[in-house]
Amino acid sequence: MSDQDESRLRVGMIGYEFMGAAHSQAWRTVNHAFDLPLTAEMAVICGRDEARVSAAAAKLGWARHSTDWRELVERDDIDLIDICSPGNTHAEIALAALAAGKHVLCEKPLANSVAEAREMVRAAQRAQTQGVRVMCGFNYRRTPAVALMRELIAAGRIGEIRHVRAVYLQDWIVDPQFPLVWRLRREIAGSGSLGDIGAHIVDLTQFVTGQSISTVSALTETFVKRRPLPTAAAGLAGQGGEELGDVTVDDAALFLARLDGGAIGTYEATRFATGRKNGMRVEINGSRGSLVFDFERMNELEFYDATLPATEQGFTRILVTEPDHPYMAAWWPAGHPIGYEHTFTHEMRDLIEALAAKEDPTPSFADALQVQLVLDAVERSAASGSWTEVEGGAP
Ligand SMILES: NC(=O)c1ccc[n+]([C@@H]2O[C@H](COP(=O)([O-])OP(=O)(O)OC[C@H]3O[C@@H](n4cnc5c(N)ncnc54)[C@H](O)[C@@H]3O)[C@@H](O)[C@H]2O)c1
């Protein structure tokens, strides 16, 4: 256990590329945007390469750096471990950090398998008895328009939910010459589009509807089965060489779903939607209205209120920038939009507030295990060609 005082939260973060940069931005800004009971300190950033991690520390604003996450999780001057490395590292790092009494924020998907995720939930439950808390980084929940969507559904404004329609569309590997980066290797990423982006729409739709996916009928496809091996360490991009290697994850995952509150859903996650860069779109149809969110227009929410007189009905574009909208009082005057990075600042705000209140932040590891169980059911259904039940969530 760290010697945490009651006013600060000393963070040790692992990984310094995409999510490392996004989380750094959030840790840097969170106490400047929000009045919070704890001050986040960007204490130590960790990576495997001394030169690169030291450059990242300087660029991203970390006080110190380390090349060994095992040393980092054992340090007495760290209160929280923030895991921004690929899925194959999540379980091992989180288990060690929890055993050392550190709070843990872990990027999504929680793990590479249900077995790992269950072990992480068990470890979190043990650690919780010592006041140690965990959170999984499903940041899109913290988009103000998404939070508003959840509030409107909870208030009954669209009535009984009938349809959930969710897509997450990208196109960054359409080119067959794009190299075999870690996201295309099952032993590192766990799965492909399914876990990388499908996990987000599973979490987001379950979050806004309050319903859990119970059964699925799925298909997955890998369009390009072999790709050039990367010549340099690569995150999202990188150069390919002459030699080819096998793609061992899905390029696209589609599924039908039944949710436990009676809704039915369609889900599509793909990296082959040519022209779509980060096209996440969710539409919910209920007995009294509909709500539509599109991340490319993340400051807006469309609302159709079917209780209005027929002559006044139509989709209303709500600009979610009013101070009374979720999170927005901290930012700019109405009509001045926010961006992708704010979802992470909001994540850190909610995490800090929960830690200070000695409450469990959400989504918990148990919530993230439930997403993992859906991913697992999708893979089993795609393999068998049958409707498949999502297993129970108890660890
Ligand atoms: N919330 C989101 O919207 C979102 C977006 C992208 C990625 N992610 C998740 O974040 C995680 C990281 O993805 P990314 O896009 O930042 O990847 P990335 O390739 O950009 O960065 C990964 C980082 O982890 C480091 N790393 C890899 N193995 C390591 C090890 N064994 N020890 C220490 N450091 C190690 C790499 O050096 C690199 O700094 C993944 O779990 C991914 O699914 C979440």
Side-chain angles (χ1 to χ4, degrees):
M1 189 64 120
S2 67
D3 57 354
Q4 178 174 7
D5 71 32
E6 297 295 316
S7 66
R8 59 191 184 151
L9 180 71
R10 295 161 301 179
V11 180
M13 189 182 76
I14 299 152
Y16 51 80
E17 297 284 346
F18 182 17
M19 279 308 103
H23 285 217
S24 297
Q25 159 86 11
W27 290 122
R28 269 200 312 274
T29 53
V30 68
N31 286 104
H32 302 285
F34 295 96
D35 293 324
L36 293 171
L38 291 177
T39 301
E41 290 180 14
M42 297 170 71
V44 183
I45 186 172
C46 177
R48 291 161 299 178
D49 181 288
E50 167 71 35
R52 292 178 67 197
V53 72
S54 117
K59 181 175 178 191
L60 300 174
W62 293 83
R64 292 177 295 285
H65 69 270
S66 163
T67 54
D68 180 2
W69 66 258
R70 288 182 175 79
E71 177 269 328
L72 176 66
V73 302
E74 294 295 338
R75 288 174 75 127
D76 288 338
D77 57 355
I78 293 293
D79 307 307
L80 178 138
I81 296 293
D82 181 5
I83 305 173
C84 293
S85 44
N88 64 323
T89 65
H90 291 185
E92 194 182 9
I93 298 174
L95 295 176
L98 290 171
K102 307 296 191 293
H103 306 301
V104 175
L105 169 61
C106 182
E107 258 306 336
K108 51 49 64 183
L110 184 61
N112 276 4
S113 68
V114 166
E116 282 178 351
R118 286 195 202 279
E119 207 181 338
M120 292 166 81
V121 171
R122 280 193 294 267
Q125 287 171 344
R126 283 193 300 274
Q128 193 206 33
T129 62
Q130 310 297 315
V132 173
R133 301 186 192 275
V134 298
M135 183 191 203
C136 186
F138 283 107
N139 58 303
Y140 289 109
R141 285 182 176 212
R142 267 85 194 188
T143 310
V146 172
L148 178 62
M149 196 176 199
R150 176 179 156 99
E151 286 181 9
L152 292 171
I153 290 173
R157 297 296 298 278
I158 64 165
E160 194 179 328
I161 297 170
R162 304 266 163 72
H163 285 288
V164 173
R165 205 168 291 111
V167 299
Y168 200 150
L169 311 175
Q170 298 183 342
D171 73 350
W172 55 277
I173 56 171
V174 167
D175 180 355
Q177 291 308 311
F178 186 89
L180 189 66
V181 296
W182 70 259
R183 279 183 164 78
L184 306 181
R185 294 172 54 194
R186 176 171 284 273
E187 72 277 19
I188 302 181
S191 65
S193 288
L194 177 63
D196 191 20
I197 52 180
H200 276 301
I201 46 176
V202 169
D203 180 70
L204 194 154
T205 54
Q206 294 189 141
F207 172 69
V208 297
T209 62
Q211 298 189 24
S212 297
I213 294 172
S214 52
T215 54
V216 297
S217 174
L219 67 84
T220 58
E221 182 59 70
T222 303
F223 298 108
V224 177
K225 298 193 167 38
R226 285 173 69 74
R227 289 179 178 273
L229 293 175
T231 49
L236 276 176
Q239 294 269 303
E242 292 291 307
E243 208 182 328
L244 299 182
D246 291 336
V247 175
T248 47
V249 298
D250 60 280
D251 287 334
L254 280 62
F255 62 99
L256 302 177
R258 286 192 180 279
L259 288 88
D260 61 3
I264 57 175
T266 63
Y267 291 77
E268 184 180 3
T270 177
R271 297 158 169 168
F272 274 73
T274 308
R276 299 290 176 197
K277 303 302 169 186
N278 198 41
M280 179 208 273
R281 188 175 187 281
V282 173
E283 175 166 325
I284 314 283
N285 306 132
S287 54
R288 293 158 56 95
S290 292
L291 287 161
V292 186
F293 172 72
D294 182 343
F295 190 72
E296 290 182 358
R297 309 178 78 156
M298 64 169 281
N299 288 273
E300 299 173 16
L301 184 66
E302 282 187 87
F303 178 34
Y304 184 97
D305 185 351
T307 66
L308 291 173
T311 50
E312 295 168 24
Q313 284 176 16
F315 275 95
T316 302
R317 181 183 70 107
I318 303 172
L319 191 57
V320 190
T321 57
E322 296 293 325
D324 287 343
H325 284 137
Y327 304 104
M328 289 307 292
W331 300 109
W332 318 116
H336 296 68
I338 60 165
Y340 174 63
E341 68 273 27
H342 294 76
T343 64
F344 296 96
T345 307
H346 300 163
E347 181 174 301
M348 303 326 176
R349 182 203 84 156
D350 291 347
L351 173 59
I352 289 175
E353 287 202 328
L355 292 178
K358 305 206 182 305
E359 291 168 358
D360 289 325
T362 56
S364 65
F365 280 9
D367 297 328
L369 165 63
Q370 202 278 330
V371 173
Q372 203 82 40
L373 289 163
V374 174
L375 306 183
D376 175 68
V378 167
E379 291 204 305
R380 287 187 291 118
S381 171
S384 69
S386 315
W387 277 92
T388 301
E389 282 194 24
V390 176
E391 280 179 21

